[in-house]
Amino acid sequence: MYPRMVGGKMWMAMDPPSKDRAPQIGHLYISNFAVRGEPALERVVAGAPGRPAGSVDFSELRADFTRRPGSMSIRDGVVRGPLVGATIEGNINYVKD
């Protein structure tokens, strides 16, 4: 899913594909993972005591999504960790990369 994500446990529930290619609605949950080698995230947590350099730990990520041919919309996403948290919302256009 994301090459800089390490470890964790993931579960996902999603509508099955259909012949008419209708949007698939789903939910994603990932627990106990780290992100390594992400420069922008490193700048956010720079100087935090007691953390290994180059790695940021997270306790959970959850998000609802809708998958369509060539794109995915993410809504109500939340990422939580001991040093930083964030909300996630937006669109991924696979066709335009």
Side-chain angles (χ1 to χ4, degrees), residues 59-88:
S59 54
E60 74 171 329
L61 176 151
R62 64 173 176 77
D64 295 324
F65 64 89
T66 302
R67 183 177 175 269
R68 294 176 180 83
S71 70
M72 180 179 287
S73 299
I74 301 169
R75 63 192 175 284
D76 298 327
V78 177
V79 181
R80 290 186 176 96
L83 297 177
V84 66
T87 59
I88 305 167

Side-chain angles (χ1 to χ4, degrees), residues 36-57:
R36 292 188 183 151
E38 181 62 63
L41 189 54
E42 285 293 316
R43 286 190 297 275
V44 171
V45 298
R51 76 167 190 89
S55 182
V56 180
D57 293 330

